[in-house]
Amino acid sequence: MIPNISILGVSVAAISWEELLRAVTAWAEHPETPKTVTYANVHVINLAQKDASLRAILNESDVCYCDGNGVVLGAKLLGQTIPERMTGADWIWDLAAAAEGKWRIFWLGGMPGVTEAAAAKLQEAHPWLQIATDHGFHHTSSDANQACLERINAFEPDIVLVGMGTPIQEEWVATNRASIKAPVVWCIGATADVISGKVKRKGPRWIVKNQEWLSRLMSDPTRLWRRYLVGNTVFLARIAKEKQRPTR
């Protein structure tokens, strides 16, 4: 049983990366009941405040793990504990190592060619990794989406990684999960952009590890300033308001 805590109405798993990988390993090797994995960071939780459908998808997934130190801080301010934040650009290498020679991975997402380049980087480190890829824009056409689902199932993956950005990836998974013949389907955001080199993680290592939002902001301030500078402030204000709410 995976322990969960509630952060502004979103159920977040209070587990470590080691525990999450152990759970995914069991699911991939015992596929009797298909599983869905999602994540929560400050941006995702902010979106979920105004998007009931997204909030329901996150809460109904088999595990929604913490993908940001802001969520770790939010939990702490509410008197709860999340062991650590896990972000795809870090754990994808551990997943590749665990999968090498054992699991088949289909990685869907990003602009054309980006996820293919990211997968090639993983295979450089893990030559026996069986991985196939596709871009993340099939949802714009029903025919293209159906063809994509057929390619995924033809590959017979154990794990399907989906990186289309929130809330598109969560909605796509919720709509298509029953048609995907894989034990695990896992939303992973823009991981391919980082692994391929399309997006650089700027700043010293301690910033990337402890304040990755700042690293991402430095890499693309024009596009991301509102998400982080405004979004982080709004999130903390919501946490403060939640903390003041009387307990029953």
Side-chain angles (χ1 to χ4, degrees), residues 196-212:
S196 69
K198 182 175 184 290
V199 171
K200 303 295 184 183
R201 300 172 100 181
K202 290 192 174 183
R205 184 174 178 81
W206 71 267
I207 285 183
V208 173
K209 181 177 180 181
N210 298 296
Q211 299 293 338
E212 185 158 15

Side-chain angles (χ1 to χ4, degrees), residues 112-152:
V114 170
T115 303
E116 181 180 3
K121 292 283 184 69
L122 296 184
Q123 286 183 310
E124 287 177 12
H126 303 283
W128 298 105
L129 177 65
Q130 298 181 76
I131 186 168
T133 67
D134 211 334
H135 64 80
F137 294 89
H138 303 287
H139 61 281
T140 59
S141 161
S142 58
D143 289 342
N145 191 68
Q146 182 58 37
C148 176
L149 292 172
E150 291 173 1
R151 286 194 295 276
I152 292 171

Side-chain angles (χ1 to χ4, degrees), residues 122-201:
L122 296 184
Q123 286 183 310
E124 287 177 12
H126 303 283
W128 298 105
L129 177 65
Q130 298 181 76
I131 186 168
T133 67
D134 211 334
H135 64 80
F137 294 89
H138 303 287
H139 61 281
T140 59
S141 161
S142 58
D143 289 342
N145 191 68
Q146 182 58 37
C148 176
L149 292 172
E150 291 173 1
R151 286 194 295 276
I152 292 171
N153 290 333
F155 185 68
E156 299 182 346
D158 299 290
I159 299 173
V160 176
L161 305 176
V162 183
M164 299 176 177
T166 300
I168 294 173
Q169 62 191 8
E170 289 85 2
E171 292 171 352
W172 186 87
V173 169
T175 299
N176 296 286
R177 184 64 183 97
S179 300
I180 299 173
K181 299 175 183 177
V184 178
V185 175
W186 190 336
C187 294
I188 66 167
T191 299
D193 287 345
V194 178
I195 301 303
S196 69
K198 182 175 184 290
V199 171
K200 303 295 184 183
R201 300 172 100 181

Side-chain angles (χ1 to χ4, degrees), residues 13-34:
I15 58 175
S16 66
W17 162 242
E18 181 180 343
E19 291 170 314
L20 177 57
L21 182 58
R22 190 158 55 240
V24 169
T25 297
W27 296 339
E29 295 179 353
H30 302 280
E32 297 82 10
T33 305

